[in-house]
Every structure is written in structure tokens, then in C-alpha cells.
Amino acid sequence: MLELTMATVSAADAGATAGMTMAQAPSEPGAVLRVGRDAAGCRLVTPEDWLFVSRVHLEFRCGPGGGWQLTWLRGSQPDPASEVRLTTGGSVQQLAPGATVPLPHGGSGEIAVQDRSGPHSVNVGFYHEV
């Protein structure tokens, strides 16, 4: 089971979470959870006017062995308006647009999507329960 918790934060919130939502999916091959502005295609949805987040920005997909991977999907803009960082086990990894990385089996961490031009961020915590 992969559990996600998303918090959206803006400068006006001054460190407080503006909204927190949760989603989960069983660790079955082909299971998918998406994060973005499009409510029709994403389980975790950011504010519509936060254009630094793509309609479908992040995808969590379960592979054949029950392990999960994270993909920063390429948006329609050649130069993304955000940065994506993955933090696990005390290490921080900057992701490139289009990159796919495995999530630690049975681990936890956080993905931060940071607006390059403003004080907004989307923080997605994950926990992979085995």
C-alpha cells in the first residue's frame, strides 16, 4: 500500500498548511496515483490557478514486483516553472523534468514541488507500507 499526504502552502499561510489531502493505492502492479491541477486525472489536486504545477505533474506507479516509482511528467512548457525534490532517508535528490526514480521499498519520504517565481509549494509525503 502506498499512502500519500499532500499539503499546499503559500506565503499567505506563513508556514501553515492551506489544504491537506490524502490518497492511497494498493501495491499491485499497474496501480497509479497522480498529482496535478486536473481533478479528472489526478487523485491529489492542487489549486487550479497554481500554474507552476502541470495538469498532471507527478505520477506514482507500482511495478511488477510491488515497488513504486515516481515520475515528474513533462508538461507543455519547455522550461518548467517549478523544481521537484525528493527527500528520503536524510538525502535530497533534485529531479529533472521527465525523470523517473524508484521509491524506497517499505520506506517514506517527501516530494516538494517548489514554484520558481513565487512562494508557493506542494509537499507530498509518502509512506510505502509492506
Side-chain angles (χ1 to χ4, degrees):
M1 175 82 59
L2 182 68
E3 298 175 354
L4 302 178
T5 304
M6 182 183 78
T8 55
V9 181
S10 69
D13 300 317
T17 55
M20 187 168 282
T21 53
M22 298 177 69
Q24 62 183 15
S27 293
E28 298 172 353
V32 175
L33 291 169
R34 293 184 182 97
V35 177
R37 294 187 342 254
D38 181 7
C42 298
R43 292 276 302 275
L44 295 175
V45 182
T46 65
E48 281 186 31
D49 62 342
W50 284 24
L51 300 180
F52 71 96
V53 177
S54 301
R55 286 181 196 88
V56 181
H57 201 87
L58 302 174
E59 180 178 85
F60 297 82
R61 181 174 295 273
C62 187
W68 287 84
Q69 63 184 21
L70 165 67
T71 301
W72 178 7
L73 301 170
R74 296 269 332 170
S76 60
Q77 301 299 316
D79 187 27
S82 63
E83 296 178 354
V84 175
R85 290 182 310 277
L86 170 64
T87 303
T88 57
S91 68
V92 179
Q93 179 180 1
Q94 187 82 23
L95 298 184
T100 298
V101 295
L103 297 179
H105 189 73
S108 63
E110 181 180 67
I111 298 94
V113 181
Q114 180 67 50
D115 184 355
R116 287 185 174 169
S117 65
H120 300 92
S121 68
V122 176
N123 301 317
V124 179
F126 69 88
Y127 173 69
H128 183 205
E129 181 180 310
V130 285

